Amino acid sequence: MWRTTISSLRAHKRRLLGTCLAVVLGVAFLSGTLVLGDSTRAGFKDLFTEANEGTDAYVRSATNIDVDDLANVGLLDEELVDAIAALDGVAVAEPVIEGSGQIIGRDGDPIGGNGPPTIAGNWISDPDVNPYSIVEGEAPSGPGEVVIDKATAEQGDLEVGDTTTIRTPAPVEVTITGVARFGSSDGMAGVTYAAFTLDEAQQLLMPEPDRVTAIRVAAADGTSQEALADRIAQLLPDDAEVLTGAALTQEQQDDIEGDFLGAMENFLLLFAGIALVVAGFSIYNTFSIVVAQRSRESALLRALGASRRQVLVSTLAESLVVGVVASMLGLLAGVGLAAGLTGLMDAMGFPLPGDSMPLRSDTVIVGMALGVIVTVAASVGPAIKAARVLPLAALRDVAIDRSDTSRARLVAGAAVTAAGVGLTVFGATSAGSLSLTGLGSLALLVGLVMLGPVVARPAGAVLGAPLARFRGISGQLARGNAMRNPKRTAGTASALMVGVAVVAMFTVIAASLKAYIDETVDAAFAGDLVMVSDNFSTVGMSPE
């Protein structure tokens, strides 16, 4: 039996290669998403660790203002800087000013603003707590002087000594006195950075000149981060708080995980799930065809003494080989897909940190397990059907397969479809529930798949009638073949249906968003012209 199984695999290499391709795509989406997530997560971790390497304590306001999902932290009194610097165990206390400022390139176009922040602030004089270090020129020393990061300078074709404009949002004419690197990188993951003197940063970016955004503190030798934070906490007013450098780094990692990485991974995993579902349909169809074509071979093996168990194991062994080989290829393709997505994000102006594409053991285990499980599970039905072939039964003509057009399937499929329609309509209209709408959509999809074999035969008869009339014998054969095995025809159509449903879903969502925006603007805006920012930068425009 094992020799027969191996011979069968060799004899149908191209057909099994097509089956492998479906699994490869699903596993590639899955593993590529996990690899990209691991790479980006590790890159941000290194980024934040490097940025906070010299900071042992970080003081900020405890007041959080959340408006339209945008969180803003209150400000601190500048007098706290001197008070903290005088504490025992404090080596350095530096004020931090942070606001929005968009740098204009040599060609007159603003740089960045397509996702990563466009930051303007003050140049921190102490190198221990400043994540940036000057590589060309010098620090700003007076009004109208700035240091910018090297990545932004290259992107905007700017050099030391050039004059440009920074929107804060009021346009400020500046001279570039220095170019800095962020740790060992030219920039911080697409973030643009412009640093003024402390006085000018306060005037341009703070509502009051004696306010600061935060205070970075370095501990003296022999003082731990926890001990330093405890001493500072005793000095702070009720509306301020202190974090250790390690806690600040962890908080920044958690924020990027919740706000960006989690959403990106969920979005990409959706496509991985769809690809694996379609792969399941494809595998089921392929093995159904294989079993139908080899029914006489299965019957002959039974007649020669093979048991049902041996025929079942032989078919499942083929699917196992397909699953293992396809999953391995999918893992390799996933690494390439992750690298391609990273390059695409970079080209879109949203570079992701992380230089390597790590293929971790958990990614390998998850990718291999899902690929093999989907492949073997999809082949169980055809394998059982092959094992049920009676000795000599397939050596004579077999009647047309009508097993999948039963009244029970019709009733069950109609009930599930009706329930799906009802839940979808009710959730989208009366209840306004996303969960009900999603559950109804899933039930509708399942119901249509269940009804597929029932509908396939009459649909094939109607749609194939023109072919049978105008294409002669070939058209009649095509029509008859589509009608002969409703389950196989429906399975093939279901895989395509899922793909078309996904395309239709995103098309409808895009059209709905466009219509909603048009209606909102029509209802809220009565002017003849409107001026808006052309990117996602939070700089805005000057009131003047």
Side-chain angles (χ1 to χ4, degrees), residues 33-298:
T33 300
L34 297 178
V35 168
L36 181 63
D38 292 338
S39 174
T40 306
R41 195 173 288 107
F44 275 114
K45 181 180 180 180
D46 294 341
L47 196 70
F48 295 139
T49 301
E50 191 172 24
N52 301 320
E53 183 177 5
T55 300
D56 296 303
Y58 188 80
V59 182
R60 67 185 181 190
S61 172
T63 303
N64 292 319
I65 306 169
D66 293 323
V67 179
D68 295 334
D69 296 329
L70 295 175
N72 297 281
V73 180
L75 303 176
L76 299 173
D77 195 320
E78 188 179 5
E79 294 179 354
L80 272 176
V81 179
D82 294 332
I84 292 174
L87 287 175
D88 184 34
V90 174
V92 175
E94 286 281 353
V96 177
I97 308 294
E98 188 171 295
S100 296
Q102 194 162 29
I103 304 170
I104 305 300
R106 185 183 294 275
D107 58 2
D109 291 334
I111 303 172
N114 295 318
T118 53
I119 295 176
N122 66 304
W123 179 256
I124 300 175
S125 57
D126 192 282
D128 290 336
V129 294
N130 190 350
Y132 288 90
S133 58
I134 294 178
V135 293
E136 297 178 35
E138 58 186 14
S141 57
E145 296 182 352
V146 296
V147 169
I148 66 174
D149 64 285
K150 187 175 181 181
T152 301
E154 293 176 350
Q155 185 178 352
D157 194 21
L158 299 171
E159 300 176 350
V160 173
D162 289 347
T163 59
T164 187
T165 300
I166 297 180
R167 296 164 50 199
T168 63
V172 180
E173 298 295 327
V174 297
T175 300
I176 299 173
T177 62
V179 174
R181 300 189 73 193
F182 181 83
S184 58
S185 304
D186 291 343
M188 187 177 68
V191 173
T192 67
Y193 177 73
F196 299 88
T197 62
L198 175 62
D199 292 339
E200 188 168 20
Q202 287 178 313
Q203 293 175 6
L204 294 173
L205 305 172
M206 295 289 101
E208 300 175 23
D210 60 345
R211 295 288 189 175
V212 298
T213 305
I215 304 170
R216 286 185 178 267
V217 185
D221 292 340
T223 303
S224 66
Q225 291 189 358
E226 291 75 14
L228 179 64
D230 291 339
R231 293 174 191 174
I232 294 175
Q234 298 176 9
L235 180 69
L236 297 180
D238 294 338
D239 61 347
E241 63 180 3
V242 58
L243 283 74
T244 64
L248 175 64
T249 300
Q250 186 61 50
E251 181 183 272
Q252 291 171 334
Q253 289 178 233
D254 293 341
D255 288 343
I256 200 69
E257 174 75 26
D259 296 339
F260 170 67
L261 281 180
M264 181 184 70
E265 283 188 323
N266 290 336
F267 180 76
L268 293 176
L269 285 174
L270 171 65
F271 286 95
I274 293 170
L276 287 172
V277 170
V278 174
F281 280 113
S282 177
I283 294 162
Y284 181 86
N285 294 335
T286 299
F287 277 94
S288 294
I289 295 171
V290 169
V291 168
Q293 291 177 337
R294 288 164 44 189
S295 59
R296 295 190 178 187
E297 177 185 329
S298 300

